Structures are given as C-alpha cells and as structure tokens.
Amino acid sequence: MRPLPRFLAAVLLLAALAPAGCGRNKAGLLLVPTGIRPAPETWPGGMTGSVYFYSDRDPGLALPPFPPTRVELFLGGVSVAVDSLAPDSRDYHFTGLAAGTYSMVVRSSAFLPVSRGGLPVRDGVLDAGSTVLTLNESAVNHAVYIVGTMPGFAFLDLQMGTTQCNQDTVGIHTYPGDFAVPTDIPAGTYRLKFVDDDQNTYDGNLIGWGGSPAETLVTPLASQPTVHGSGPSTDLVVRFAQTGQYAFRLDARRQRFSIALIPPAPTAGARR
C-alpha cells in the first residue's frame, strides 16, 4: 500500500484528536497557552482629589499660593505613596496604585490633620473628592517679632517689644506694628528671622521662620517661601537694596513672607 501524502496524514490526525459533534468546547488533551503572565511592574490604579482650606476669618485662603500640604496614602496600615501639593494647585494625583482599599492622611502645619478611610482602588482612577482642612489657630495665634543683625532689630529690641508685629488676621503678622519704632535699615546684607515669641528662645538660638543661609535674597521680596527652625542654620540672609524703612509681612499659614521698602512720607509743601 502506498503511504498517505503528508498533508492528508496530518488532517486525519487532527480529526482523530478533535472531539466529535457539539462537544467541541469540552476540555481536550492538547496543552494550550493560558495567557497568564507575571505581575505587572506598574499597577493600573490611581487616585485624585482636591484639598480646601477653611478659615472663617479669612476667605483669602481660597486663592493661591496655597499652604504647603502633604497627602499620604496607606494600604494595610503601611505608607505606600506621598504627594506634596504645588503652591498654585489644590489638587493631588497618584498613579501606579495596586488594587486595594486605601486610607489617607492630609497634613498642613497650620491646619488640623484629616484622616480618611475606605477608599477603594481597582484598575482605574478613583476620584476621592474634596478634603477640607480647618485652621488650627493655636499653631499660628501668637506674638511674632523680627530679630536680626540690622540696627534696631537686636535681641534686646525683641525684649523691649519694639520689633513686635501686629496680627490683624490669625496667622498673618505685619511690621511696623502698634509697638514698633520704625528705624532706617542701612543698605547692606543681614541675617534675620521671624521669631515666634521670646519664650521660645534658648542660649541665643531663636526659634521661628527663616530659610537657608546659603541663599542671599534681595529686597523687595514678595511671597517668598519660609521654613520653621532654630539657630543660625535657619536664618534668612537678606540684602536690603537701599537705605530706608521696610515693611515686613509673615503668613504663617502659607509659610511665606515679604519685605518691601516703605515709601517716604511726602514733605510739607510738596506738589500733589
């Protein structure tokens, strides 16, 4: 007998292996790929939302720059992701989250922290909605003084109260204040700090709002970021561009300050 052609033999073999009739979807003996792969390197889940800052004394918190804010996600009690809001945005964004039910803690230094739970993330982006932070007045409601190497702003002047700022709105401190004796600051470079109050000083190291001594700032300064710390390592270094009296403003909620030259008062007989 002549052997069958190769292609015909292959067809007959497949026909013999295939189940007959309408049972073609039943499990057979052939091994087929299952499509299973290792876990993905990047998870498809995500989360987004917004943070609002509430103060019944100052609606200006609805406008940028917004207070520095940290949003932290937890899964199973373990911190898994952190996002810091940009000064001009109230929104946070997380990507690459594994499926699970998350909890969240939102913090800003001048506000009471807020914790949220039961945030389910699957294979898409969860809109967590809005989180509202309430101003913690005890964190910013205190006396503030300006202390520096400028004439009239020494530690002794702080003790006399002549460099004390006004606080017309909780968390916003301005100089000259009611107890201040404005004095000319000669043009030059000085170290300074917004000191919270004199009871928070020890061994000459002043605790308050400063910056990095490695950076020299030049007046005028508008909405400049500031950080809280103690000692010379957190002093502000400022070059006053010209001699004159200066106005200082600290917003402890937004962690920002400004310094501007006070225009001289018009002299008698000056043309209007």
Side-chain angles (χ1 to χ4, degrees), residues 147 191-195 200-213 227-237:
V147 178
R191 299 172 73 98
L192 64 100
K193 188 183 263 98
F194 293 87
V195 179
N200 284 340
T201 63
Y202 59 95
D203 298 334
N205 288 329
L206 304 181
I207 303 173
W209 297 97
S212 170
V227 295
H228 201 256
S230 65
S233 63
T234 57
D235 283 350
L236 290 162
V237 178

Side-chain angles (χ1 to χ4, degrees), residues 242-270:
Q242 65 184 89
T243 299
Q245 295 181 3
Y246 283 81
F248 296 75
R249 184 180 189 271
L250 169 68
D251 188 339
R253 309 159 312 167
R254 290 183 169 91
Q255 299 180 30
R256 289 180 173 267
F257 76 96
S258 62
I259 303 176
L261 183 68
I262 300 175
T267 59

Side-chain angles (χ1 to χ4, degrees), residues 10-92:
V11 170
L12 292 176
L13 177 61
L14 291 174
L17 293 174
C22 61
R24 292 183 183 274
N25 290 329
K26 295 181 180 180
L29 299 178
L30 294 180
L31 297 178
V32 296
T34 62
I36 297 176
R37 298 290 185 270
E41 295 182 2
T42 301
W43 297 93
M47 188 184 304
T48 186
S50 302
V51 179
Y52 290 81
F53 306 92
Y54 172 74
S55 170
D56 57 0
R57 300 197 187 190
D58 184 11
L61 286 169
L63 302 174
F66 298 111
T69 303
R70 173 186 172 98
V71 182
E72 188 169 10
L73 291 184
F74 296 83
L75 183 60
V78 178
S79 175
V80 295
V82 175
D83 190 11
S84 297
L85 272 63
D88 61 347
S89 173
R90 64 170 81 253
D91 302 325
Y92 58 86

Side-chain angles (χ1 to χ4, degrees), residues 112-134:
L112 298 172
V114 171
S115 299
R116 298 178 59 188
L119 301 169
V121 172
R122 298 296 178 256
D123 57 355
V125 178
L126 170 69
D127 183 356
S130 301
T131 302
V132 180
L133 299 186
T134 302

